[in-house]
Amino acid sequence: MSTVLSALAAALLMTAPAMAENLGQPSGMTFEQVKQRRLQRIDQMRACVAKATSFEQMKACKPERKKKPSN
């Protein structure tokens, strides 16, 4: 269980800097606000995974990705 949580946290931490570079600084948000929001999302994901009793429930914990607009 802890291996899954570690992998999940690592994946989130690896993709977060890449997304931040592409988007630049969010409008109207300070660094601390962005940091707190990301930590809240991680806490929510960890709680969901901890409560899961099957793979289907664990997959449901994964947030939906925003679809890229098609050109």
Side-chain angles (χ1 to χ4, degrees):
M1 183 67 121
S2 65
T3 305
V4 173
L5 291 175
S6 298
L8 185 59
L12 286 172
L13 293 174
M14 284 190 280
T15 58
M19 293 186 325
E21 288 176 7
N22 293 337
L23 299 176
Q25 183 176 357
S27 59
M29 294 183 72
T30 66
F31 172 76
E32 285 299 319
Q33 290 171 327
V34 172
K35 186 168 114 176
Q36 287 303 314
R37 181 181 281 182
R38 287 186 183 179
L39 290 171
Q40 288 172 349
R41 288 180 187 159
I42 291 171
D43 290 342
Q44 289 172 349
M45 177 123 14
R46 291 187 80 208
C48 182
V49 170
K51 291 179 186 177
T53 58
S54 68
F55 283 115
E56 287 182 23
Q57 289 177 353
M58 194 171 2
K59 287 180 186 177
C61 294
K62 187 176 181 180
E64 293 183 21
R65 291 185 171 239
K66 294 180 182 177
K67 294 183 180 180
K68 293 182 181 179
S70 58
N71 293 334

